[in-house]
Amino acid sequence: MKLFFTGHNYKYAAEQMLLTLFPAERPVYPGGAPEGDRTELRLENGEASCVLVREGRTASAEAAVRPYDSDRERVRQEQHALKMAFYRAALAWGVPKPAWGALTGVKPGKLMARYLAEGKTTEDFARDFDVDPDRAALCEVTARHTIAAKNSLHPGDVGLYVGIPFCPTRCAYCSFISNAVGKNAKLVEPYLDALLSEIERTGRRAKESGQRPVALYLGGGTPTTLDPAQLERLCKALAAHFDLSALREYTVEAGRPDTITAEKLAVLKDHGVTRVSVNPQTMSDEVLDAIGRKHTAQDVLDALALVRRAGDFQVNMDLIAGLPKDTAKGFSRTLDVVLELAPENITVHTLAIKNGSYLAERPELLPGAEAVRHMVDEAAERLRGAGYVPYYLYRQKYMSGGFENVGWRRGGTVNLYNILMMEELSPILAMGAGASTKLEGPDGAVYRHINPKYPKEYIERMTR
């Protein structure tokens, strides 16, 4: 879509709203006089306005810039006004109202927490961004978990992430740093050697600076792709090089049931792991096959039984709404099975179609937005009915229907790491290929250091 600006150059704000309203479009800045299908965004005299021309029809709207008391706040309010003008013009043109209204950020809970801190209400949040009341209420509950997590932290508390970028096979929706282990088996051992070297260096610096992990997360990929001896080496290294005396939780992604064995679970139990993820995504064999998983729904049940027999692990199970060949009825049957299993945590993701995934090239395989809305809304209703409470929430770009990902807990089983990471409440020390360390600078801004993306590059960097 062609974008024309007058009185400002807020490209990022305009592009965020463009992605929300017209996810298939990409911004073009042609210059010259506005002509053809386009969006004109004007800012002058404390008023934002938008003219949207598309398919021979024109719509326009305005939004006032709200009062501000600093230059930083002025920029925020001007961007908000421009977004609202664009949003109102699009709805006037005929674009269906997005699930989160005019909200474009991937972390609505962070914004809600700021509203609550300023004495504003959920109703203010819903009105300011035209968010449906049920989603605003969902956001408030998760924001209060964020506030509680923040208040529980002490100076020096950090989150720790370790990435294992290997899986049995690559899922069709995956854009993470993951490699099918069968084709990359020769990389696993040198990768582990390189990772242990990084763990030693990072642990030494953490101790020197007085940083203590309160939440440790082994993710990927699938860490349980490692064999028992490799898992033992990894867990021993973490215990040896980090001060784990303040650790409140220790999570391992055992997401693929075809990687879970009694021997591996015994290693995890011996090293104090408190939480494992057994992630079916769906309990339909047809859908599992469509996403490239080489296991069945029965394998998930068998793996979970192994976990329950192995020890007192909290269990998370991930589900994805919007997978290929899934339907609203099929997703409902998945909910039937998972709720019967009663894991301590259930995370309901909405499928995000990302560049680099197989499904990015095959949109015709996916259920429509209304079916996905039904899946997400039914999950929320039934999880609440079963005694689960939402505790963290985030959104992603290119998410089917523009919905959200929500973590649900039963009892006091909040996963602290997810909150720390999503809401940027503490530093995150991250190790492994593609891992992103997040540190807060003296100015309060969050700075990131990202490791080389692919295992070969990572191994070369860490072994220099």
Side-chain angles (χ1 to χ4, degrees):
M1 178 180 288
K2 291 185 286 187
L3 299 177
F4 295 88
F5 297 160
T6 301
H8 69 95
N9 193 33
Y10 290 131
K11 286 186 177 181
Y12 182 67
E15 289 172 6
Q16 281 187 307
M17 188 54 71
L18 175 65
L19 179 62
T20 296
L21 299 167
F22 302 99
E25 297 275 1
R26 296 295 176 267
V28 178
Y29 299 96
E35 49 81 28
D37 286 358
R38 64 192 184 274
T39 296
E40 299 177 42
L41 288 168
R42 181 182 296 269
L43 183 65
E44 55 186 1
N45 301 323
E47 191 82 23
S49 63
C50 176
V51 175
L52 174 63
V53 182
R54 187 174 175 85
E55 298 175 4
R57 293 189 290 121
T58 301
S60 60
E62 297 177 344
V65 177
R66 293 181 297 194
Y68 50 84
D69 56 10
S70 66
D71 192 57
R72 182 177 181 181
E73 185 64 15
R74 173 187 61 79
V75 170
R76 187 161 67 183
Q77 295 302 342
E78 287 178 346
Q79 290 181 340
H80 178 68
L82 285 162
K83 287 181 178 181
M84 290 305 300
F86 193 172
Y87 172 78
R88 290 167 181 169
L91 265 60
W93 184 87
V95 172
K97 179 182 174 180
W100 283 86
L103 193 68
T104 59
V106 298
K107 298 175 181 177
K110 196 170 185 177
L111 179 60
M112 175 65 84
R114 190 173 77 224
Y115 264 58
L116 296 175
E118 293 172 353
K120 297 179 182 178
T121 67
T122 304
E123 290 73 23
D124 294 328
F125 177 89
R127 182 191 62 249
D128 288 350
F129 296 94
D130 198 26
V131 175
D132 289 339
D134 58 343
R135 281 190 161 75
L138 170 69
C139 194
E140 180 189 353
V141 174
T142 59
R144 292 196 182 279
H145 279 86
T146 296
I147 294 168
K150 183 177 182 179
N151 291 339
S152 75
L153 297 175
H154 299 92
D157 287 351
V158 299
L160 207 61
Y161 177 84
V162 181
I164 305 296
F166 302 102
C167 284
T169 59
R170 186 177 177 87
C171 296
Y173 56 79
C174 184
S175 64
F176 290 122
I177 312 305
S178 60
N179 298 262
V181 73
K183 297 179 180 179
N184 296 277
K186 64 183 180 181
L187 288 178
V188 175
E189 196 64 30
Y191 176 83
L192 184 58
D193 290 340
L195 178 60
L196 297 187
S197 176
E198 186 184 16
I199 286 171
E200 180 179 3
R201 292 196 299 271
T202 305
R204 182 171 61 251
R205 290 195 296 268
K207 287 181 177 179
E208 289 170 353
S209 59
Q211 292 175 315
R212 300 187 310 169
V214 291
L216 198 167
Y217 197 102
L218 268 60
T222 307
T224 45
T225 302
L226 300 179
D227 65 32
Q230 291 165 337
L231 279 174
E232 177 76 21
R233 287 178 63 203
L234 175 57
C235 292
K236 275 187 174 181
L238 288 166
H241 298 299
F242 286 92
D243 175 5
L244 301 184
S245 62
L247 201 64
R248 299 192 221 168
E249 64 181 33
Y250 193 156
T251 302
V252 175
E253 285 278 355
R256 295 288 290 266
D258 40 348
T259 67
I260 298 173
T261 67
E263 293 78 13
K264 294 177 187 181
L265 292 169
V267 171
L268 301 182
K269 182 180 178 182
D270 287 346
H271 285 278
V273 171
T274 58
R275 182 176 185 267
V276 296
S277 288
V278 181
N279 298 334
Q281 318 301 10
T282 174
M283 293 302 287
S284 162
D285 287 344
E286 181 183 13
V287 179
L288 285 169
D289 183 64
I291 63 176
R293 290 210 167 196
K294 304 304 180 184
H295 66 79
T296 66
Q298 183 60 49
D299 292 331
V300 175
L301 301 177
D302 294 342
L304 183 59
L306 269 179
V307 171
R308 292 304 194 193
R309 286 198 298 270
D312 190 24
F313 294 113
Q314 292 178 14
V315 173
N316 173 74
M317 300 185 79
D318 280 4
L319 305 178
I320 299 180
L323 290 173
K325 295 197 175 180
D326 207 359
T327 63
K329 286 185 178 180
F331 189 80
S332 185
R333 288 192 291 271
T334 288
L335 286 172
D336 291 340
V337 176
V338 172
L339 287 171
E340 182 68 23
L341 294 170
E344 286 72 20
N345 297 142
I346 298 174
T347 307
V348 180
H349 297 269
T350 304
L351 181 67
I353 311 301
K354 295 185 178 181
N355 293 333
S357 69
Y358 168 75
L359 291 178
E361 309 299 324
R362 300 295 304 276
E364 73 279 3
L365 298 176
L366 304 174
E370 278 308 305
V372 177
R373 179 187 290 274
H374 189 281
M375 295 175 189
V376 171
D377 290 348
E378 182 188 359
E381 180 181 356
R382 294 184 63 185
L383 285 164
R384 285 193 183 93
Y388 289 85
V389 176
Y391 73 94
Y392 82 99
L393 161 72
Y394 69 103
R395 303 172 67 215
Q396 293 172 274
K397 292 182 179 180
Y398 312 116
M399 182 172 273
S400 181
F403 298 106
E404 65 278 336
N405 302 325
V406 183
W408 297 79
R409 58 143 178 107
R410 207 162 43 85
T413 59
V414 167
N415 183 259
L416 178 63
Y417 175 84
N418 283 330
I419 300 176
L420 298 182
M421 189 265 294
M422 293 298 174
E423 305 301 336
E424 297 177 337
L425 299 185
S426 78
I428 300 293
L429 307 182
M431 293 151 286
S436 177
T437 290
K438 299 179 183 180
L439 300 172
E440 184 175 321
D443 58 355
V446 175
Y447 294 88
R448 291 170 171 80
H449 170 77
I450 302 176
N451 277 343
K453 181 176 181 180
Y454 297 107
K456 285 184 179 180
E457 296 171 351
Y458 173 80
I459 292 166
E460 290 171 0
R461 173 76 62 84
M462 295 301 154
T463 55
R464 284 177 185 170

Coordinates of all heavy atoms in Angstrom, one line a residue, residues 29-84:
Y29 N 6.6 3.9 -0.2 CA 6.7 5.3 -0.1 C 7.1 5.9 -1.4 O 8.3 6.2 -1.7 CB 7.7 5.6 1.0 CG 7.3 5.1 2.4 CD1 7.9 3.9 2.8 CD2 6.4 5.8 3.2 CE1 7.5 3.4 4.0 CE2 6.1 5.3 4.4 CZ 6.6 4.1 4.9 OH 6.3 3.5 6.1
P30 N 6.1 6.2 -2.3 CA 6.5 6.6 -3.7 C 6.9 8.0 -3.8 O 7.6 8.4 -4.8 CB 5.2 6.3 -4.4 CG 4.1 6.5 -3.4 CD 4.7 6.0 -2.1
G31 N 6.5 8.9 -2.9 CA 6.9 10.3 -3.0 C 5.9 11.0 -4.1 O 5.1 10.3 -4.7
G32 N 6.1 12.2 -4.3 CA 5.3 12.9 -5.2 C 3.9 13.2 -4.7 O 3.6 12.9 -3.5
A33 N 3.0 13.6 -5.6 CA 1.6 13.9 -5.2 C 0.8 12.6 -5.0 O 1.0 11.6 -5.7 CB 0.9 14.7 -6.3
P34 N 0.0 12.5 -4.0 CA -0.8 11.3 -3.7 C -1.7 11.0 -4.9 O -2.4 11.9 -5.4 CB -1.7 11.7 -2.5 CG -0.9 12.8 -1.8 CD -0.2 13.5 -2.9
E35 N -1.7 9.7 -5.3 CA -2.6 9.3 -6.4 C -2.8 7.8 -6.3 O -2.1 7.1 -5.6 CB -2.0 9.7 -7.7 CG -0.5 9.3 -8.0 CD -0.4 7.8 -8.3 OE1 -1.3 7.2 -8.9 OE2 0.7 7.2 -8.0
G36 N -3.9 7.3 -6.9 CA -4.2 5.9 -6.9 C -4.6 5.4 -5.5 O -4.9 6.1 -4.6
D37 N -4.7 4.0 -5.3 CA -5.0 3.5 -4.0 C -3.8 3.9 -3.1 O -2.7 3.7 -3.4 CB -5.0 1.9 -4.1 CG -6.3 1.5 -4.8 OD1 -7.2 2.3 -5.1 OD2 -6.5 0.3 -5.0
R38 N -4.2 4.4 -1.9 CA -3.2 4.9 -1.0 C -3.8 5.2 0.4 O -5.0 5.1 0.6 CB -2.7 6.3 -1.6 CG -3.8 7.3 -1.6 CD -3.4 8.5 -2.5 NE -4.4 9.6 -2.4 CZ -5.4 9.7 -3.3 NH1 -5.6 8.7 -4.2 NH2 -6.3 10.7 -3.2
T39 N -2.9 5.5 1.3 CA -3.3 6.1 2.6 C -2.5 7.4 2.8 O -1.3 7.4 2.7 CB -2.9 5.1 3.7 OG1 -3.7 3.9 3.5 CG2 -3.3 5.7 5.1
E40 N -3.3 8.4 3.1 CA -2.7 9.7 3.4 C -2.8 10.0 4.9 O -4.0 10.0 5.4 CB -3.3 10.8 2.7 CG -3.3 10.7 1.1 CD -4.0 11.8 0.4 OE1 -3.9 13.0 0.9 OE2 -4.7 11.5 -0.5
L41 N -1.7 10.2 5.6 CA -1.7 10.4 7.1 C -1.2 11.8 7.3 O 0.0 12.1 7.0 CB -0.9 9.4 7.8 CG -1.6 8.0 7.9 CD1 -0.6 7.0 8.3 CD2 -2.8 8.0 8.7
R42 N -2.0 12.7 7.9 CA -1.6 14.1 8.1 C -1.7 14.4 9.6 O -2.5 13.9 10.3 CB -2.6 15.0 7.3 CG -2.3 16.5 7.5 CD -3.4 17.3 6.7 NE -3.4 17.0 5.3 CZ -2.6 17.7 4.4 NH1 -1.9 18.7 4.8 NH2 -2.7 17.4 3.1
L43 N -0.7 15.2 10.0 CA -0.7 15.7 11.4 C -0.4 17.2 11.4 O 0.6 17.7 11.0 CB 0.5 15.0 12.2 CG 0.7 15.3 13.6 CD1 -0.5 14.8 14.4 CD2 1.9 14.6 14.2
E44 N -1.4 17.9 12.0 CA -1.2 19.4 12.1 C -2.2 19.9 13.1 O -3.3 19.5 13.3 CB -1.5 20.0 10.7 CG -2.8 19.7 10.0 CD -2.9 20.3 8.7 OE1 -1.9 21.0 8.2 OE2 -4.0 20.1 8.0
N45 N -1.7 21.0 13.8 CA -2.5 21.7 14.8 C -3.2 20.7 15.8 O -4.4 20.9 16.2 CB -3.6 22.5 14.1 CG -3.0 23.5 13.2 OD1 -1.9 24.1 13.5 ND2 -3.6 23.7 12.0
G46 N -2.4 19.7 16.3 CA -2.9 18.8 17.3 C -4.0 17.9 16.8 O -4.7 17.3 17.6
E47 N -4.1 17.7 15.5 CA -5.1 16.8 15.0 C -4.5 15.9 13.9 O -3.7 16.3 13.1 CB -6.2 17.6 14.3 CG -7.4 16.8 13.9 CD -8.4 16.6 15.1 OE1 -8.4 17.4 16.0 OE2 -9.2 15.7 15.0
A48 N -4.8 14.6 14.0 CA -4.4 13.6 13.0 C -5.6 13.3 12.1 O -6.7 13.2 12.6 CB -3.9 12.3 13.7
S49 N -5.3 13.1 10.8 CA -6.3 12.7 9.9 C -5.8 11.7 8.9 O -4.6 11.6 8.7 CB -6.8 14.0 9.1 OG -5.8 14.5 8.4
C50 N -6.7 10.9 8.4 CA -6.4 9.9 7.4 C -7.4 9.9 6.3 O -8.6 10.0 6.5 CB -6.4 8.5 8.1 SG -6.1 7.1 7.0
V51 N -6.9 9.8 5.1 CA -7.7 9.6 3.9 C -7.2 8.2 3.3 O -6.1 8.0 3.0 CB -7.5 10.7 2.8 CG1 -8.3 10.3 1.6 CG2 -8.0 12.0 3.4
L52 N -8.2 7.3 3.2 CA -7.9 5.9 2.7 C -8.6 5.8 1.4 O -9.8 5.9 1.3 CB -8.3 4.9 3.7 CG -8.2 3.4 3.3 CD1 -6.8 3.0 3.0 CD2 -8.8 2.5 4.3
V53 N -7.8 5.5 0.3 CA -8.4 5.3 -1.0 C -8.0 3.8 -1.4 O -6.9 3.5 -1.5 CB -7.9 6.3 -2.1 CG1 -8.6 6.0 -3.4 CG2 -8.2 7.7 -1.6
R54 N -9.1 3.0 -1.7 CA -8.8 1.6 -2.0 C -9.9 1.1 -2.8 O -11.1 1.3 -2.5 CB -8.7 0.8 -0.7 CG -8.3 -0.6 -0.8 CD -8.0 -1.2 0.6 NE -7.7 -2.6 0.5 CZ -6.5 -3.1 0.3 NH1 -5.5 -2.3 0.1 NH2 -6.3 -4.5 0.3
E55 N -9.6 0.4 -3.9 CA -10.6 -0.2 -4.8 C -11.6 0.8 -5.3 O -12.8 0.4 -5.3 CB -11.2 -1.4 -4.1 CG -10.1 -2.5 -3.8 CD -10.7 -3.7 -3.0 OE1 -12.0 -3.7 -2.8 OE2 -10.0 -4.6 -2.6
G56 N -11.2 2.0 -5.5 CA -12.2 3.0 -6.0 C -13.0 3.6 -5.0 O -13.9 4.5 -5.3
R57 N -12.9 3.3 -3.7 CA -13.7 3.9 -2.7 C -12.8 4.7 -1.7 O -11.7 4.3 -1.5 CB -14.5 2.8 -1.9 CG -15.6 2.2 -2.8 CD -16.5 1.3 -1.9 NE -15.8 0.1 -1.5 CZ -15.6 -0.3 -0.2 NH1 -16.1 0.5 0.8 NH2 -15.0 -1.4 0.1
T58 N -13.4 5.7 -1.1 CA -12.6 6.6 -0.2 C -13.3 6.7 1.1 O -14.5 6.8 1.2 CB -12.5 8.0 -0.8 OG1 -11.8 7.9 -2.1 CG2 -11.7 8.9 0.1
A59 N -12.5 6.6 2.2 CA -13.0 6.8 3.5 C -12.0 7.7 4.3 O -10.8 7.7 4.0 CB -13.1 5.5 4.3
S60 N -12.5 8.5 5.2 CA -11.6 9.4 6.0 C -12.0 9.4 7.4 O -13.1 9.1 7.8 CB -11.6 10.8 5.4 OG -13.0 11.3 5.5
A61 N -11.1 9.8 8.3 CA -11.3 9.9 9.7 C -10.3 10.8 10.4 O -9.2 11.1 9.8 CB -11.3 8.5 10.4
E62 N -10.6 11.2 11.6 CA -9.7 12.1 12.4 C -9.6 11.5 13.8 O -10.4 10.7 14.3 CB -10.3 13.5 12.4 CG -10.4 14.2 11.1 CD -11.0 15.6 11.2 OE1 -11.6 15.9 12.2 OE2 -10.9 16.3 10.2
A63 N -8.5 12.0 14.5 CA -8.3 11.7 15.9 C -7.5 12.8 16.5 O -6.5 13.3 15.9 CB -7.6 10.4 16.1
A64 N -7.9 13.3 17.7 CA -7.2 14.4 18.3 C -6.0 13.9 19.1 O -6.0 12.8 19.6 CB -8.1 15.1 19.3
V65 N -4.9 14.7 19.1 CA -3.7 14.3 19.9 C -4.0 14.7 21.3 O -4.4 15.8 21.6 CB -2.5 15.1 19.4 CG1 -1.3 14.9 20.3 CG2 -2.2 14.8 17.9
R66 N -3.9 13.7 22.2 CA -4.2 14.0 23.6 C -3.1 14.8 24.3 O -2.0 14.8 23.8 CB -4.4 12.6 24.3 CG -5.7 11.9 23.9 CD -5.9 10.6 24.6 NE -4.8 9.6 24.4 CZ -4.9 8.3 24.7 NH1 -6.0 7.8 25.2 NH2 -3.8 7.5 24.4
P67 N -3.5 15.4 25.4 CA -2.5 16.3 26.1 C -1.2 15.5 26.5 O -1.3 14.3 26.8 CB -3.2 16.8 27.4 CG -4.7 16.7 27.0 CD -4.8 15.5 26.1
Y68 N -0.1 16.2 26.6 CA 1.2 15.6 26.9 C 2.0 16.6 27.7 O 1.7 17.8 27.7 CB 2.0 15.2 25.7 CG 2.1 16.3 24.6 CD1 3.1 17.2 24.7 CD2 1.2 16.3 23.6 CE1 3.2 18.2 23.7 CE2 1.3 17.3 22.6 CZ 2.3 18.2 22.7 OH 2.4 19.2 21.7
D69 N 2.9 16.1 28.5 CA 3.7 17.0 29.4 C 5.2 16.8 29.2 O 6.0 17.3 30.0 CB 3.4 16.8 30.9 CG 3.6 15.3 31.3 OD1 4.1 14.5 30.5 OD2 3.1 14.9 32.4
S70 N 5.6 16.1 28.1 CA 7.0 16.0 27.8 C 7.2 15.7 26.3 O 6.2 15.3 25.7 CB 7.7 14.9 28.6 OG 7.1 13.6 28.2
D71 N 8.4 15.9 25.8 CA 8.6 15.6 24.4 C 8.4 14.2 24.1 O 7.8 13.8 23.0 CB 10.0 16.1 24.0 CG 10.2 16.1 22.5 OD1 9.4 16.8 21.8 OD2 11.1 15.4 22.0
R72 N 8.8 13.3 25.0 CA 8.6 11.9 24.8 C 7.2 11.5 24.7 O 6.7 10.7 23.9 CB 9.3 11.1 25.9 CG 9.3 9.6 25.8 CD 10.1 8.9 26.9 NE 10.0 7.5 26.8 CZ 10.6 6.7 27.7 NH1 11.3 7.2 28.7 NH2 10.5 5.4 27.5
E73 N 6.4 12.1 25.6 CA 4.9 11.9 25.7 C 4.3 12.4 24.4 O 3.3 11.9 23.9 CB 4.3 12.4 26.9 CG 2.9 12.1 27.1 CD 2.6 10.6 27.3 OE1 3.5 9.8 27.6 OE2 1.4 10.3 27.2
R74 N 4.8 13.6 23.9 CA 4.2 14.2 22.7 C 4.3 13.2 21.5 O 3.4 13.0 20.8 CB 4.9 15.5 22.4 CG 4.5 16.0 21.0 CD 5.4 17.2 20.6 NE 6.8 16.9 20.5 CZ 7.3 16.3 19.4 NH1 6.6 15.9 18.4 NH2 8.6 16.0 19.4
V75 N 5.5 12.6 21.4 CA 5.7 11.6 20.3 C 4.7 10.5 20.4 O 4.1 10.0 19.4 CB 7.2 11.1 20.3 CG1 7.3 10.0 19.3 CG2 8.1 12.3 19.9
R76 N 4.6 10.0 21.7 CA 3.7 8.8 21.9 C 2.2 9.2 21.5 O 1.5 8.4 20.9 CB 3.8 8.3 23.3 CG 3.0 7.1 23.6 CD 3.5 6.4 24.8 NE 3.2 7.1 26.0 CZ 3.5 6.7 27.2 NH1 4.2 5.6 27.4 NH2 3.2 7.5 28.3
Q77 N 1.8 10.4 21.9 CA 0.4 10.8 21.7 C 0.2 11.1 20.2 O -0.9 10.8 19.7 CB 0.0 11.9 22.6 CG 0.0 11.7 24.1 CD -0.9 10.5 24.5 OE1 -1.8 10.1 23.7 NE2 -0.7 10.0 25.7
E78 N 1.1 11.7 19.6 CA 1.0 11.9 18.1 C 0.9 10.6 17.3 O 0.0 10.5 16.4 CB 2.2 12.8 17.6 CG 2.1 14.2 18.1 CD 3.3 15.0 17.6 OE1 4.3 14.4 17.1 OE2 3.2 16.3 17.7
Q79 N 1.7 9.6 17.7 CA 1.6 8.3 17.0 C 0.3 7.7 17.3 O -0.3 7.1 16.4 CB 2.8 7.5 17.5 CG 4.2 7.9 17.0 CD 5.3 7.0 17.5 OE1 5.1 6.2 18.4 NE2 6.4 7.1 16.8
H80 N -0.2 7.7 18.5 CA -1.4 7.1 18.8 C -2.6 7.8 18.0 O -3.4 7.1 17.5 CB -1.7 7.3 20.3 CG -3.1 6.7 20.7 ND1 -3.3 5.3 20.7 CD2 -4.2 7.3 21.2 CE1 -4.6 5.1 21.1 NE2 -5.1 6.3 21.4
A81 N -2.6 9.1 17.9 CA -3.6 9.8 17.2 C -3.6 9.4 15.7 O -4.6 9.1 15.1 CB -3.4 11.3 17.3
L82 N -2.4 9.3 15.1 CA -2.3 8.9 13.7 C -2.8 7.4 13.5 O -3.5 7.1 12.5 CB -0.8 9.0 13.2 CG -0.3 10.4 13.0 CD1 1.2 10.4 12.9 CD2 -0.9 10.9 11.7
K83 N -2.4 6.5 14.4 CA -2.9 5.2 14.4 C -4.5 5.1 14.4 O -5.1 4.4 13.7 CB -2.3 4.3 15.5 CG -0.9 4.0 15.3 CD -0.5 3.1 16.5 CE 1.0 2.6 16.4 NZ 1.3 1.8 17.6
M84 N -5.0 5.9 15.4 CA -6.5 5.9 15.5 C -7.2 6.5 14.3 O -8.2 6.0 13.9 CB -6.9 6.7 16.8 CG -6.5 6.0 18.1 SD -7.1 4.3 18.3 CE -8.9 4.6 18.2

